[in-house]
Amino acid sequence: MRILARGLELAYRGGPTVVVADRLELPDGELVSLVGPNGGGKTTLLRSLAGLLPPRAGTVTIGDRPVYGRRGLSRRDRARLLSVVLTDSVAPAYLRVRELVAMGRLPYQRLVGRESSDDRRAVDRALAQTGTAHLAGRPAGRLSDGERQRVMIARALAQEPEMLLLDEPAAHLDPPHQTALFQLLDTLVRDGIVSTAVIATHHLHLALHFSPRLVLVAGGSVHPGAAADLLESGALEEAFLRDLPPATAAESRLDPRRGWFVPSG
Amino acid sequence: MHPPVPPRGRRGPAAIAAACAALLAATAASLMLGSVHVGFSDLLAVLGPGGGASSGGDSVSAAARIVTLVRLPRTVTAIGVGSALGLAGLVMQTVFRNALAGPGVLGVTAGAGLGVAAVLLAGVGASIPGLTAVAAMVGAGLVLVLALTVNRIVGQPVFLLVLGLLFGYAASSITTLLMAAAPGEGLERYVVWSFGSFALPPGAAPWVILAAAGATTAALTVAAPRVDALLLGPQYAESIGIHARRLHGTLILLAGTLTGLVTAFTGPIVFLGVAVPHIARGVVRSSRHRILVPMTALTGASLALVADIAARLPGSDRVLPLNSVMALVGVPVVLAVILQAQPEATEELGL
């Protein structure tokens, strides 16, 4: 299911508008990376696409259904289509990995919330798809950073969503784990386990490698485009360097092959 | 980083069964022990068919009189208050995701205290029975309405915590001012109220408290999976279909009402509410509300009974302030639970 945002104006309660997006379309079957400098609005945009931040103006639709508004999806229906991995730390005392993952089944349960055999199968599948089945009995607070992110992805997959949205999931991981995380997401999309994955990330080199299409979010505006175009036009480089002191910016450039900022000259 | 130590097993149903047995034993002890000892066979005779209920007038035995008029209401009150405060504490800890949250965290207890102080220190409380309870409920209710309004407008639980703290200080200060200006008799009555006591006269109040605690236990146990979702924080809760702010509001209303109700009748016995959820969590080794809610209610009831029996100093005519006894009984228990539970519970306790 494609997701489409139109005329979007995003703001926090009572505050100024922080992100504007005229038209943003996220097609099926892709791992889409949201990239851009700190404070540019990636998290805000991601939260709004995930159904967690009603826009001040504009619409977000998934398939042909609006996410917000009076005719929008109910919370439960939304939770069956969209699931998230956030930066919030989560480790309630005594909670086991399997229990944490099983919380993703809530949108499928009635008020009393007994786990059905469907629920158990979905949880097993999510654990298997993320390679975390061996962690099922571990306390959720006793995981390495890499394990925890996989478990949080398993929790999101237990919701059996169409679209997975992740905010900086690779932030605390070492380089091989960063790559492994992108590979996992890439596999989930390729295998059709989710139709789209959207990842807000600072790992430009991985974004360039795994995402044919990027969404550049900088200074509160949104520029979707093919990765190659954004690189070639210099838009990507300029967006990141704009916030730096001019003297520093003058001495940095984006190495298009490596996706790293390196000293110029 | 973390050695793969297999976590210790759960103790769900067995723990609940043990807690039920403990509660029964504590209930029996509470009915038997006091300034006058009532034997177990006498107790059965009084409570059994044709016992206390049917006896009228002068034929009522001393034991029956003591049990039905004094100890039964007191025991029912202790059970109700213990579970209610335990549940209120658990709910607050879940809503605020803070191990040190408790029933008093919103300033509800301080609000109740201010209400009581206002009527007692003005010298009117003594003349009208039940007025202190009404004043306490009005005080608690006002604080609660304020908290819920802020929750509606701001929707940030942390903000509520700070507000509750500030309001607690303000209410205590006003109470102190009233005490400084008050006539002697009112002051003494206020101090006695602040000691806390389960010694309610026979009547509806003990049973109302017990019913409120029972209904809350049932409701929270049914709604447990949705309440569990709040453990992940409001954003994750929303993402799995929970209306987080509304659920926060409902739970705050529930916990605040329970706290206001029991404080109005039995005084500010807040320690119990902070301690009991920790004990329950440590015993069942779970954060899931389906098991934690009944365990908390049972543990709170037992702990309240034990503290109350201790405060009575069985065999003597003296009575200790319940609040102090509660803390002295509870602190070592909580410490033991925290120290024993170490590896799995530490994240939440921030140790």
Side-chain angles (χ1 to χ4, degrees):
Chain A
M1 267 186 229
R2 83 182 173 149
I3 197 160
L4 178 64
R6 266 181 303 200
L8 216 52
E9 279 180 43
L10 304 179
Y12 293 95
R13 180 188 291 273
T17 299
V18 288
V19 175
V20 176
D22 287 339
R23 184 187 160 87
L24 175 63
E25 188 179 345
L26 305 176
D28 265 353
E30 269 186 35
L31 173 56
V32 179
S33 294
L34 306 186
V35 298
N38 284 327
K42 295 191 298 292
T43 297
T44 306
L45 178 62
L46 187 93
R47 284 181 54 183
S48 188
L49 296 177
L52 300 177
L53 180 69
R56 180 168 282 172
T59 58
V60 178
T61 51
I62 175 159
D64 53 0
R65 305 186 63 182
V67 174
Y68 297 103
R70 234 180 314 153
R71 293 169 164 215
L73 292 166
S74 70
R75 280 183 158 72
R76 170 185 280 253
D77 288 344
R78 186 195 66 213
R80 293 177 179 194
L81 292 175
L82 304 165
S83 71
V84 292
V85 174
L86 304 169
T87 49
D88 311 22
S89 73
V90 167
Y94 300 110
L95 197 70
R96 304 293 167 79
V97 165
R98 192 171 211 292
E99 294 174 322
L100 179 60
V101 173
M103 283 183 173
R105 296 304 295 168
L106 198 69
Y108 297 90
Q109 290 164 351
R110 291 165 179 279
L111 178 65
V112 176
R114 285 201 83 86
E115 246 182 50
S116 69
S117 54
D118 272 358
D119 291 334
R120 278 190 292 276
R121 271 197 295 278
V123 171
D124 288 337
R125 206 158 45 229
L127 288 167
Q129 284 158 353
T130 51
T132 51
H134 65 291
L135 301 174
R138 277 250 219 119
R142 308 267 110 183
L143 299 171
S144 72
D145 289 335
E147 288 169 340
R148 188 171 53 247
Q149 291 301 14
R150 282 178 174 262
V151 166
M152 292 316 287
I153 292 172
R155 192 210 60 80
L157 290 179
Q159 280 173 247
E160 299 185 310
E162 286 286 326
M163 180 171 291
L164 185 58
L165 301 107
L166 309 95
D167 192 9
E168 297 282 358
H172 298 290
L173 307 184
D174 59 36
H177 278 97
Q178 293 168 11
T179 308
L181 187 110
F182 272 80
Q183 280 169 330
L184 170 63
L185 296 175
D186 190 50
T187 309
L188 293 176
V189 174
R190 269 171 208 275
D191 294 354
I193 291 161
V194 292
S195 69
T196 311
V198 182
I199 177 171
T201 182
H202 277 311
H203 299 95
L204 205 47
H205 59 296
L206 293 169
L208 289 170
H209 186 274
F210 285 97
S211 295
R213 208 186 310 252
L214 300 181
V215 179
L216 175 61
V217 190
S221 60
V222 175
H223 313 278
D229 294 346
L230 287 170
L231 264 181
E232 223 164 280
S233 69
L236 205 53
E237 185 177 61
E238 201 245 309
F240 277 96
L241 293 180
R242 194 162 41 195
D243 294 344
L244 290 182
T248 318
E251 290 170 11
S252 313
R253 66 179 179 86
L254 177 61
D255 179 332
R257 276 186 311 120
R258 287 189 286 179
W260 291 343
F261 278 85
V262 293
S264 52
Chain B
M1 185 165 55
H2 302 295
V5 181
R8 287 183 297 181
R10 291 291 162 73
R11 296 186 286 208
I16 295 282
C20 284
L23 179 56
L24 275 179
T27 305
S30 173
L31 293 171
M32 288 160 65
L33 301 176
S35 55
V36 176
H37 179 76
V38 176
F40 192 62
S41 52
D42 289 346
L43 183 61
L44 288 183
V46 172
L47 294 179
S54 69
S55 51
D58 301 339
S59 65
V60 187
S61 75
R65 204 191 297 261
I66 289 172
V67 168
T68 54
L69 297 183
V70 180
R71 289 194 193 153
L72 189 59
R74 186 171 184 148
T75 302
V76 170
T77 305
I79 294 172
V81 171
S83 0
L85 287 179
L87 292 172
L90 174 63
V91 163
M92 292 300 191
Q93 288 173 9
T94 299
V95 166
F96 294 109
R97 297 210 291 156
N98 186 320
L100 296 177
V105 82
L106 292 177
V108 171
T109 314
L114 181 56
V116 171
V119 294
L120 285 183
L121 299 175
V124 293
S127 48
I128 310 163
L131 187 63
T132 50
V134 172
M137 280 193 256
V138 169
L142 285 178
V143 175
L144 197 53
V145 167
L146 192 66
L148 288 169
T149 311
V150 171
N151 180 57
R152 246 194 111 69
I153 297 170
V154 184
Q156 287 276 6
V158 180
F159 203 83
L160 269 186
L161 273 183
V162 176
L163 189 92
L165 195 70
L166 292 180
F167 191 83
Y169 280 129
S172 308
S173 304
I174 298 172
T175 306
T176 309
L177 284 177
L178 288 173
M179 286 164 75
E185 195 209 350
L187 185 59
E188 199 185 318
R189 289 173 61 90
Y190 178 77
V191 171
V192 170
W193 177 82
S194 71
F195 283 169
S197 170
F198 295 145
L200 295 191
W207 299 100
V208 168
I209 295 172
L210 185 64
T216 305
T217 307
L220 287 178
T221 307
V222 170
R226 330 201 114 243
V227 182
D228 284 345
L230 294 180
L231 293 173
L232 303 181
Q235 289 286 315
Y236 271 122
E238 284 280 347
S239 84
I240 46 178
I242 301 290
H243 195 323
R245 201 180 48 173
R246 196 164 67 195
L247 186 54
H248 278 157
T250 309
L251 291 174
I252 288 169
L253 178 65
L254 184 70
T257 307
L258 280 180
T259 308
L261 178 72
V262 302
T263 308
F265 285 105
T266 62
I269 310 172
V270 286
F271 171 78
L272 194 68
V274 184
V276 168
H278 288 292
I279 300 171
R281 236 179 252 122
V283 173
V284 298
R285 294 181 190 142
S286 174
S287 283
R288 309 203 55 192
H289 290 81
R290 176 122 316 151
I291 182 98
L292 201 48
V293 163
M295 193 63 195
T296 299
L298 290 167
T299 312
S302 296
L303 196 67
L305 283 172
V306 171
D308 185 46
I309 294 167
R312 279 181 232 166
L313 295 173
S316 83
D317 290 334
R318 302 178 65 94
V319 176
L320 298 177
L322 182 62
N323 245 332
S324 316
V325 176
M326 196 74 85
L328 291 177
V329 171
V331 167
V333 178
V334 179
L335 262 184
V337 168
I338 290 174
L339 293 178
Q340 188 222 350
Q342 269 288 340
E344 285 190 61
T346 42
E347 286 83 14
E348 183 157 318
L349 294 168
L351 294 172

